[in-house]
Amino acid sequence: MAFAREPQTIPRDASIDLCAFSNDPLLLRMDMATYSYYSTLSDIRDKRLLEIASRAANVNVLTRPVGKKELKKFAERRDAEAVRNVRLKYQTRQDQVAQLGTFDMQWGLKWLLSFVVLVEEPVLGVYGAERMVSITEEWMKALARADISEVSSQLPQLRDTLEIARAELPLSLALAEALPGKFNLACSLLFAGQLRSAHTDMHRPRWALADQAGSDHESEHDDADSAKAQARETIGDIVPANAECIRSRPADLRITSIDAASEDFPAYRRVCARVFDRLRLVDKEDEEQVELRFEADIASRLCVGLVIEATLHALSNGMHYIDAVTMVWPSYSPLDYVDSC
């Protein structure tokens, strides 16, 4: 988490003010305030969420740098040597963490509410993700109430991230299951992509499969023709029959606008996106805007700023479609760091 000033070591001959809480290392103050809030939680599921959240701040409520007896003496503030030892141990741990990673509070929160929830702890689901946001918000308030200036000074920015996460995180989880949608899957089967390369792929949608009563070659051929016919019916006149896929590549696509359904194609809505440079965290200037099509129920869950990680296909008529969706990232995700994990 973020330091307001550079961490300082504590010489053994230093004069220790037993009452001055501000003399304690940041990691120690974070640990004490976090454990205090942790002790108020009665639901074991909430405790587990805070255990996960606090690790993003380099705090671990289960494996603390000192034992209970040492912390008890420290809290009493009567034994100068005990206070000194606890401070030194936390300062040592803080210095180690500073060498290995970051103490940036805002970065840690964004990392927690994107990569940790979506990749490291995907079993949380939508409810768990929403609850994680609430627990994290209460934890931030607890840290601020403990007069940790490094946190309270950033509280407005942290609350902004929490509000965005409250809206976008459930959408990211739901969209990861719903995408790429029927239109894009139909294009994938007809032109190029995940379905065309493997008709028996486990991700093939039910609507694209005919019942396979037999296993002979003729039956399989009829099934393939039936699936393609249904796919052609799905895309209708949006894509001409003589179109070809001219390019396929993995891409990060940041949603820039979501249009209403047109009169010509009322079943689908046009969604515009830009190819996103995750290392620089900006749209690629040398890439043109991409137009995609999604069913209304999917488009209604998309929002500007979300980043779709998928395979992007370009057709000869200038249209695009996606498949092999890997992840849908919230707009605040620190994607420049994801590839290094």
Side-chain angles (χ1 to χ4, degrees):
M1 295 292 180
F3 286 112
R5 56 184 181 277
E6 291 297 318
Q8 299 178 351
T9 57
I10 305 174
R12 290 197 63 81
D13 58 351
S15 175
I16 300 292
D17 182 353
L18 299 185
C19 298
F21 192 61
S22 60
N23 285 348
D24 297 334
L26 172 59
L27 190 61
L28 172 56
R29 289 179 282 131
M30 293 280 291
D31 182 284
M32 297 289 284
T34 299
Y35 195 81
S36 177
Y37 172 55
Y38 182 77
S39 301
T40 67
L41 298 175
S42 57
D43 192 319
I44 191 171
R45 293 170 297 182
D46 289 344
K47 285 181 175 288
R48 173 57 181 157
L49 290 176
L50 184 57
E51 290 165 13
I52 296 170
S54 63
R55 290 203 305 268
N58 300 293
V59 175
N60 193 322
V61 294
L62 298 181
T63 57
R64 306 169 84 182
V66 298
K68 291 183 178 179
K69 290 183 178 180
E70 290 177 284
L71 285 172
K72 184 177 180 179
K73 289 183 178 180
F74 174 82
E76 292 173 348
R77 305 277 176 153
R78 297 174 183 172
D79 187 335
E81 185 65 19
V83 171
R84 187 192 306 274
N85 288 337
V86 169
R87 284 176 172 168
L88 286 173
K89 287 181 180 180
Y90 272 91
Q91 185 67 61
T92 299
R93 174 58 181 157
Q94 181 171 297
D95 292 341
Q96 293 173 344
V97 172
Q99 292 175 0
L100 296 173
T102 178
F103 273 90
D104 189 303
M105 187 71 161
Q106 295 182 52
W107 187 93
L109 183 63
K110 293 175 181 178
W111 182 250
L112 166 68
L113 298 177
S114 58
F115 186 84
V116 174
V117 172
L118 297 174
V119 179
E120 291 189 344
E121 303 287 345
V123 295
L124 292 176
V126 174
Y127 172 79
E130 292 175 336
R131 188 60 183 158
M132 174 68 84
V133 174
S134 298
I135 288 293
T136 303
E137 182 175 28
E138 293 304 314
W139 175 45
M140 294 293 108
K141 292 178 181 177
L143 296 178
R145 287 195 299 269
D147 293 328
I148 300 178
S149 60
E150 294 88 344
V151 176
S152 57
S153 63
Q154 301 182 60
L155 208 54
Q157 296 90 335
L158 296 172
R159 282 173 173 164
D160 287 344
T161 298
L162 286 164
E163 285 304 307
I164 297 172
R166 185 172 280 108
E168 292 186 0
L169 198 51
L171 294 177
S172 295
L173 288 162
L175 286 166
E177 295 291 330
L179 290 173
K182 292 182 179 181
F183 177 85
N184 291 282
L185 285 174
C187 290
S188 177
L189 178 60
L190 291 172
F191 304 110
Q194 194 176 39
L195 294 191
R196 185 172 177 81
S197 61
H199 287 307
T200 58
D201 188 274
M202 64 177 291
H203 297 292
R204 290 182 66 193
R206 294 191 184 94
W207 57 268
L209 288 169
D211 293 333
Q212 296 185 354
S215 59
D216 57 276
H217 178 76
E218 183 177 352
S219 175
E220 291 177 359
H221 181 75
D222 291 343
D223 290 342
D225 287 344
S226 176
K228 289 181 179 179
Q230 291 182 52
R232 171 52 61 183
E233 182 180 350
T234 297
I235 64 175
D237 297 329
I238 300 178
V239 182
N242 61 351
E244 297 179 350
C245 181
I246 58 175
R247 186 184 183 189
S248 300
R249 55 173 172 149
D252 295 314
L253 302 169
R254 188 181 67 85
I255 304 300
T256 57
S257 66
I258 304 165
D259 296 343
S262 64
E263 294 182 1
D264 296 335
F265 308 108
Y268 303 105
R269 293 173 64 180
R270 187 182 69 156
V271 174
C272 296
R274 298 295 300 268
V275 178
F276 191 70
D277 186 339
R278 65 169 57 194
L279 295 180
R280 297 172 56 218
L281 297 179
V282 295
D283 297 335
K284 292 186 177 181
E285 297 179 357
D286 58 343
E287 297 271 4
E288 294 183 357
Q289 182 171 263
V290 173
E291 293 186 5
L292 303 169
R293 300 276 178 171
F294 295 102
E295 296 76 43
D297 62 326
I298 291 179
S300 65
R301 285 179 280 181
L302 290 169
C303 64
V304 172
L306 292 179
V307 177
I308 301 175
E309 184 179 339
T311 299
L312 176 66
H313 305 275
L315 292 172
S316 55
N317 70 330
M319 294 191 64
H320 294 81
Y321 64 94
I322 62 170
D323 66 359
V325 176
T326 306
M327 189 66 66
V328 180
W329 296 102
S331 59
Y332 52 81
S333 304
L335 293 178
D336 55 332
Y337 194 72
V338 168
D339 285 341
S340 64
C341 296

